[in-house]
Amino acid sequence: MIQRRSFLMGAVVGAAGLSLPLSRVRAAAAEALKPLALPPPISTAERMQRLARARQLMQQNGIGSLIVESGSSLDYLTGVQWHRSERLTAAVIPATGDPIIVTPFFEMPSVKETLAVPAEIRTWNEDEDPLKLVADFLRERGVATEPVAFEETDRYFIVDRLAAQLPAMKQMSAHSVVRALRLIKSPAELALMQTANDITMRAMLHAGEAVRAGMTPADFGSAIDAATSSLGGSPEFSLVLIDEAAAQPHGSNKPQVVKPGSTILFDCGCTVHGYQSDISRTFVFGSPSAEQRKVWDQVHEGQQIAIRAAKMGVPVGTIDDAVRAAYESWGYGPGYKLPGLPHRTGHGIGMDGHEPAYLVHGDMTPLAAGMCFSDEPGIYIPGKFGVRLEDCWHMTEAGPKFFTQPPPSIDRPFG
């Protein structure tokens, strides 16, 4: 049960509800939550280092050129922040020399606004094939006969239409370049992720302290998003699940309302200069039942099992194995069966909320300093409730380090 004086609102919150009307709860985010000091965005110098490392990895892996279309990897390498559509905007990076950006002619001024590295922008008109532009550039650089690597989220039409322009094209995965770069976060990236996590934690606390009977997921979500914006983050998602819906990891469309004894699950994240947070908290409105307390304590121990298993060099999938073995010994599962843990123990995180590597059985990626993951070994009991506690962490030479500390007990769900 949450029963303490809110440092944000000066109101006592508990099973009896909140003395302030909901409209003032929402308004308090703008009035009382002051923006945090944000770290600077990723510098041009750091992006230049990324491109230099990309070229080095390309040469080591026999890659002549790399194609990255709009999305987080394009931003990671060039700073260009652009949406995907049927019109191609992409970077073409040769193994030597500067990249080019290919984009529609009428989009060039907008694309240029976020370009953060030296790169020529080559444009195409609506009646032209942009992949011919790419093929012409590869011929110009003398790499048209060398393997072309495609970033893992590039759409098929790019591969297909470039192959029509270059019939002898040899295609490769860009995992050895882009994934290798993005797996390891720099100090600047870690600082942005730390701030994103700090913002999300404060926003969730704000909403959690405002709980009262009759609230819906939408009520909580609007309070969390408003607080996130006020604190300086960009809201990414605010998933709120109540009672039986909390047993479905990604929710339900059925009506949900808080009542005494309700299990309430928050799963929220924001971005700061493109870098994400992802935190989950589960708490009870009123006094927890013996079953709610037991499951909460088991999930809390599951988080600790995962972090204890995080050792330098171990395959990241073995972290999931350690948690699942404990859960099975407690009578859950086996494996991914319910009641139990139907999803992986955690996922990589950075510019994307979910990115490689994954804390799931069989992922053999060796754990290394600079990798970042969620730790979220939930337990779900269909028809009753679910509990998920999620905190993100990064690996250091001295061991794993949480961005946010897991809560100590169901009676102190926000620490």
Side-chain angles (χ1 to χ4, degrees), residues 157 349 355:
F157 82 85
I349 187 169
E355 60 183 47

Side-chain angles (χ1 to χ4, degrees), residues 10 27 51 85 90 124 156 204 270 355 395 407 410:
L51 283 173
S85 74
W124 54 278
Y156 178 71
M204 291 170 69
C270 76
E355 60 183 47
M395 195 64 185
I410 196 171

Side-chain angles (χ1 to χ4, degrees), residues 10-339:
V12 176
V13 182
L18 180 66
S19 60
L20 295 177
L22 186 58
S23 61
R24 289 191 60 190
V25 172
R26 292 172 175 167
E31 295 171 357
L33 294 172
K34 303 302 182 185
L36 273 62
L38 304 184
I42 299 300
S43 67
T44 293
E46 182 159 328
R47 283 199 172 83
M48 293 294 289
Q49 292 171 357
R50 293 171 180 176
L51 283 173
R53 178 62 177 152
R55 288 191 288 265
Q56 182 183 43
L57 290 171
M58 290 167 66
Q59 293 164 16
Q60 291 174 359
N61 288 278
I63 297 170
S65 59
L66 167 65
I67 297 178
V68 182
E69 72 160 314
S70 299
S72 57
S73 289
L74 182 64
D75 185 359
Y76 179 88
L77 290 166
T78 70
V80 172
Q81 298 168 14
W82 200 246
H83 58 278
R84 290 192 178 187
S85 74
E86 76 283 5
R87 299 180 174 101
L88 179 66
T89 291
V92 186
I93 304 170
T96 58
D98 291 338
I100 62 167
I101 305 297
V102 173
T103 196
F105 170 75
F106 67 93
E107 305 285 23
M108 180 181 67
S110 301
V111 169
K112 190 175 181 180
E113 288 179 357
T114 54
L115 178 61
V117 298
E120 179 187 355
I121 299 179
R122 297 193 180 186
T123 63
W124 54 278
N125 290 312
E126 293 277 63
D127 61 346
E128 298 174 323
D129 185 349
L131 278 306
K132 181 180 185 303
L133 207 62
V134 174
D136 289 344
F137 173 72
L138 298 182
R139 293 189 188 99
E140 177 186 310
R141 289 295 180 92
V143 294
T145 60
E146 298 180 23
V148 180
F150 295 88
E151 197 263 349
E152 61 187 316
T153 68
D154 286 351
R155 288 169 291 175
Y156 178 71
F157 82 85
I158 300 171
V159 182
D160 185 50
R161 285 163 56 182
L162 185 58
Q165 295 290 332
L166 301 172
M169 180 184 78
K170 301 173 185 177
Q171 66 184 67
M172 294 177 61
S173 165
H175 284 359
S176 61
V177 180
V178 180
R179 182 175 289 190
L181 286 171
R182 291 187 58 182
L183 272 174
I184 307 299
K185 273 61 177 182
S186 70
E189 292 177 288
L190 294 175
L192 291 168
M193 293 177 69
Q194 181 64 65
T195 302
N197 277 273
D198 291 344
I199 288 172
T200 296
M201 192 69 257
R202 289 186 61 181
M204 291 170 69
L205 172 62
H206 171 71
E209 289 189 319
V211 63
R212 67 178 182 182
M215 290 183 72
T216 68
D219 295 328
F220 287 116
S222 62
I224 292 167
D225 288 349
T228 297
S229 297
S230 184
L231 286 161
S234 298
E236 190 69 22
F237 60 95
S238 298
L239 177 66
V240 179
L241 309 174
I242 301 171
D243 293 327
E244 292 89 347
Q248 299 174 229
H250 285 160
S252 169
N253 290 323
K254 294 180 180 178
Q256 302 163 51
V257 178
V258 173
K259 57 186 180 296
S262 282
T263 300
I264 305 169
L265 191 159
F266 290 174
D267 185 352
C268 307
C270 76
T271 60
V272 173
H273 295 318
Y275 285 82
Q276 296 204 19
S277 60
D278 192 356
I279 305 173
S280 296
R281 291 291 182 266
T282 304
F283 58 101
V284 174
F285 181 61
S287 299
S289 69
E291 185 178 28
Q292 287 170 322
R293 187 176 295 277
K294 181 188 79 168
V295 175
W296 197 100
D297 288 345
Q298 289 172 327
V299 174
H300 183 269
E301 177 60 17
Q303 275 199 305
Q304 298 306 311
I305 291 169
I307 211 70
R308 290 195 296 267
K311 307 290 186 184
M312 288 286 284
V314 304
V316 297
T318 62
I319 298 173
D320 180 79
D321 295 339
V323 172
R324 215 164 291 277
Y327 280 14
E328 289 182 11
S329 75
W330 300 338
Y332 296 109
Y336 294 87
K337 292 183 179 179
L338 292 169

